[in-house]
Each structure stands twice: as structure tokens, then as C-alpha cells.
Amino acid sequence: MVADLPGQLVRTKRFRAGVPSHLEVVGAGRFVVFLRDDALWAYDVQSKRERRVGPATSYHASESILVVLRERDAFVADLVGELFDQLPIEEVAAARIDPTGKTVAFVRDRALRVIGVDGSGERVLAEDDDENVFWGLAEFSAWMSMGRGEGLWWSPDGQRILAARVDESQVQLRYLADPADPTSEARPFRYPAAGTPNADVRLFVLDLDGAQREVQWDRQRFEYMVRAGWTVERPLIVVQTRDQRCVQVLEVDPGSGRTTLVREVTDPQFVAVPEQTPAQTASGRLVWIERDQACDTYRLVIGDEVVTPPGLQVDELREVSGETVTFLAQTDPTEVHLYVWDGAVRRLTEEPGVHSGLVADGTIVIDSRTLAGRRITVNGQALESFEEEPVLALRVEFVRSGPKELLTAVFRPSWHEPGSSKLPVLLTPYGGPGVQMALKYRPPQHLVSQWFAEHGFIVLSTDGRGTPGRGPAFDRATVGDILEPVLDDQIEALRSLAERYGDLDLDRVAIRGWSYGGYLSIGAVLHRPDVFHAAIGGAALTDQRGYDTYWKERYLGHPDSNAEVYRRTSHLPYAANLDRPLLMIQGLADTNVWATHAIRFSGALNALGKPHELVLLPGEGHGLTNPSTIENLLHRELAFLQQHLT
């Protein structure tokens, strides 16, 4: 049963099969819509029944009328009339329905177009002849690093669209080839690497009759357009300087395009703009999440009032409905809870775990993930979920260690008696910004850690400096150095736990990770071979200059003025240090961490006569999709660890 976990991960799509996702309240609180198994479903709050609406990979809702995408085909769904009709348009890149449910805006061939929900009146609203310009979509840095996946926003009355015009002509051009098929043509790809030009992003207010007005702000100083959306009458946008130390919230006059400053925030390190912020209550009060340096807390601000107490770390805004604000926050870093503010702050969830959800139009949706599994409720009524039970049970303990009280999830073999014998140790951190591992629920990565444990390892997942959940000072401690503090914390936790438990064999320690975790793993054997005896690095960055501007410059600054920081935190200059077994894994179609990172580093190692293993995956991107690849890689990693540690 233990051996079958990799197969179960594939069969269940990493336990997402049969589970509702992307939940939203529509129809003035009457319906909760969601995706389940490549289909759109609607739950009727009054009758407490759900029905399958139609095939879908994504959707956008407007009251009870939705536009639904199935791959690149578009459909219109009427939840009240129970209709589901395909629109006569193909190759749709994005689609949004207006709030009145009459018109669909969509993007095809780089142009922004509109069509009636009845399939009539298709026309182009905005386009350019330049092949480097597109309308209505987010640029690379926006959807990869800023958390903004949209490029068009409807006005509440359905008469205007706020649209992004993106010119990528100055962005660095790369070519994505398929070495497995040398006859195929390389695909051009615009990638804004650190220190190079970004896309030129402009905003326009478009009337349905074709009239355009450009939104005006100091684009030379505020290079990034981070957020956009409409209030009851006017758009709100958030713009940011390239160094990310200053943000302005601007209100747009839709008739002229002129902007008025609503709020300005500065920070000596960087200003974070959480997803779905800013927003406005029905009375027009700005909803914002801001760093409070005095109490080292991320706090919810409504209007001019800070409404959450010190120590409650606000992570994410979930919904604003009337004067009710739903958000996620943490007091215990191993748990995430759902809160609501409606004049006072109240916590809606109690059980230890990772909770989400929203409150809209009186309907309460709670999505709870705990160590026992997942449960989604609407006003207390559970939605059907067909999540498969894992083939193995977690044996995990959450502990604090060392002077910094670093949080670690400790996984042990079910067959091992603590203290009976020493076992090799496997560290499985992420360690980077935006991701916590030591959380009290049952994600696939915990099950994978338990799978490795059942094969004879004690597995540790530690959240050190740089990870969220413990406040601004902790998660910003890696500004200027994204490797040494993180690596030091992994070692601190390892040694502290070895003293506590006594059965961790510090002469047999390995580390594995993906993306930033892969970067950290390679750095561990390059810089601390006295501690780490083997490493597995997947999709790992080896040259800091090769990552995108927004994310990389946030932590390391501009490479022209911080060249030594970029060199010191890259792996290429330290290839000669490798004296431990290293397995690198890289997808050849990865446009986040490009394959050049693994290939160049492998070339440097070969030139120095440094043995290592490199697994290249044709057709795979940053997130693996091929079922056999996903399953076989885990066995490959296990064999590597057993060869070098056991």
C-alpha cells in the first residue's frame, strides 16, 4: 500500500479529483458555483441541491449568468433558466461577462472583442497591428509574480471596460525549443529577466461604441501596474515603482482617464500588495492590508481605521460584500483561519488546519482542510466531495526548535520505535517566500514526506526565515540574501531536533526540493557539505540574473547596482565546491525556471570533473503534468537517496 502512493497521486490528480474548487457565491446569495472534475457545478442554497451545469476548465460569473471556458471554447450558462449554450467563437484566450449579464468581452489573436450572450454582434473593441502588442491579458510578470491574472475589467453598468494594452517589444526575446523533436520550430517567448526592460503596460477605458481614453499616471516612475478593478462608479488601480518601495492607489475618472491619489504606501524594503486588494465596501471605504512596523504585523485597514489587533497576521482578502469583509489570518503559524469583519472581527473556524472561504450576500462558504481530510460547507451544509483516502496515514508532529522557535513538521516511519535506532534524515523544505510547509493539514507534499519516511527516513519540513505566517520581520529577513539565512535556519532546526530526539543520524543527511526548494537543496551541498551528504534539486535556479524582474529585484535589487549580491547567491560561481552526490531534475518546457539553469550548471560541473546526475524531462513545464513522469520520478528520487544514504 505504501509503495502505491506515487500511483495514487497520479490517479487522483494529487487528490484534487472529485473535490470542489474555485467556489464563488452568485445570484444575490442563491447559488454557490464551483469546479469539480472538469465541469461547472451549481449548488442551490435554498433547495440544498447541486447540479452539473456543463464542461468547464474556468468560469467568470455575473449574478446568475456565467461565461465558461472549456479549453479555448466559450459557453454561456444561465443558472436560473438552466441553459448552457456555446458561443460562436473559438481560440478564446480570456473571457469576462459584464455585471448585467448581457455582453461577453474576450481576447482572440491579441485583440479585445465583445459579443452578446446570445451569440450576436461580435466586434473588435481594441487591437494593434504590431505582433508585440496585445489587449486584455496580463503580462508575464503580472500573472507569474504579482498575482494579477487579468487584463480586462467591466464597469458595474456593463457599458465600459478597463483594459490593459501590453507592448512587449522591449522585453527580452527567448526561444523555447523541443530537443526531443529537432524538426519542430522553436517558439519565441518574451521573458523579462532581472535587470532587463519590462513590458510597457498602459490602461484604457473603452466604451462599447469604440471610444477610448488612456488612464494617466506617472508611468516613468511607477513602472508596474499591479492591480485594477471597478468600484461602484469608478476604477481603482494600484501602481508601483520598479524598486517596489512605493505604491499608489489611484482612482480613475472614466470620462477623462485622469487619476486621483487615494493612498500612498512606502516601505524601505518593499510594499507587498496581496491579491484582491484594494477593494471597497458598499459605503466606499477602502479595504487594504498593510505592514505595521511598530507591532511587526500585517493588519487589515478599512478606510482610515486599522481593524485587526497586533499579532493577528492577515494573509489574504477573500471577499467584500456590502460592509462585510472576509479574510484569512494567522496567530499560530501552523494554522490558517477564516475571519470576518462586519464592524467587529470574528473568527469563523476553530479546528486546527488550513481554512478558507467567504461570506457574500448572507451565504457562508467554508473550505476546511485538516489532518483528517477536507470538508466544504455552505451555511453549514456539506458539499459532496469524492476525495480518495490516502493509502498511508500521516505520522507527523509539529514542533518548535532552536532560539528562533523554527516550526518543523517531523515525519516518522510507522514501524519505527523512537530511540530504538538512528535513521538517515531527509529535509524537504521550500524555504522561500510565499510558501509554508509546516501546516496542520494533509496536502500531497505531506503524504510524499510520509512515503519517504516509510522507506526508512526521518523527514523534516522546516519553515525558516523568508517564509510567511510569522510577520513582516521574519518573512523579509531574506531581502539582500536569499540563501544564507534560509540555509542557516535549516541547519539550526536539524541540529536542535537531533538533540531533542536522539535518533536522527547526522552522518546521513539529504535534502530535496522543487523550485526555490530545489535552489536551496543545491546550495546546501555546495556551501555546507559538512552537514548535507546528498541533494535533489528540481527546477532549480542556478543564476539569479535568469529570473523575472518583479520577483527577483524585490529581494536582490537591480543587478546593475547589486552585482555582487547576484553573484554570491547564484550557484554557477561555486560549481567547483560540489563534492556530494547531486541529482538535478528539469523540465525542458519550463518558462518559469528555464532549462538553461540546469544545463549550464551541469556543463560547469562536467568541465570541472564533478560527478552528478541530470534528468531532463521533454515537454514538461514548471509543474509536472505527465502521469508516468510524476510517478516514476518519486521512485527515481528514492533510489538515489537509498544509494547514497542507506
Side-chain angles (χ1 to χ4, degrees), residues 83-100:
L83 298 175
F84 190 79
D85 295 326
Q86 185 168 0
L87 288 170
I89 52 178
E90 298 178 342
E91 296 302 310
V92 177
R96 296 288 184 271
I97 191 166
D98 87 89
T100 68

Side-chain angles (χ1 to χ4, degrees), residues 361-505:
D361 295 314
T363 296
I364 303 173
V365 179
I366 296 179
D367 183 352
S368 297
R369 292 175 290 171
T370 68
L371 290 170
R374 190 168 185 176
R375 176 180 169 84
I376 302 172
T377 61
V378 177
N379 294 341
Q381 180 74 24
L383 289 182
E384 285 192 287
S385 180
F386 306 101
E387 179 182 11
E388 190 171 310
E389 191 67 19
V391 295
L392 52 75
L394 290 180
R395 190 186 182 195
V396 59
E397 181 183 3
F398 296 88
V399 298
R400 294 176 182 263
S401 58
K404 303 185 197 73
E405 295 191 337
L406 301 171
L407 287 158
T408 303
V410 181
F411 301 85
R412 294 176 172 278
S414 60
W415 45 265
H416 181 253
E417 184 66 30
S420 62
S421 62
K422 287 184 177 290
L423 294 178
V425 186
L426 174 61
L427 277 63
T428 61
Y430 180 79
V435 176
Q436 289 179 260
M437 299 289 281
L439 288 166
K440 293 177 181 176
Y441 73 128
R442 196 176 66 185
Q445 60 263 29
H446 279 8
L447 294 168
V448 169
S449 293
Q450 187 66 50
W451 182 78
F452 278 109
E454 296 297 344
H455 285 90
F457 299 87
I458 294 177
V459 182
L460 310 178
S461 291
T462 298
D463 290 335
R465 284 172 292 173
T467 59
R470 292 183 59 171
F474 193 84
D475 65 36
R476 294 162 184 251
T478 56
V479 172
D481 189 344
I482 60 171
L483 180 59
E484 186 175 348
V486 182
L487 189 53
D488 286 348
D489 283 359
Q490 295 297 317
I491 296 171
E492 179 182 309
L494 169 68
R495 289 175 171 169
S496 176
L497 292 169
E499 291 179 2
R500 175 182 299 189
Y501 291 111
D503 52 2
L504 280 68
D505 188 345

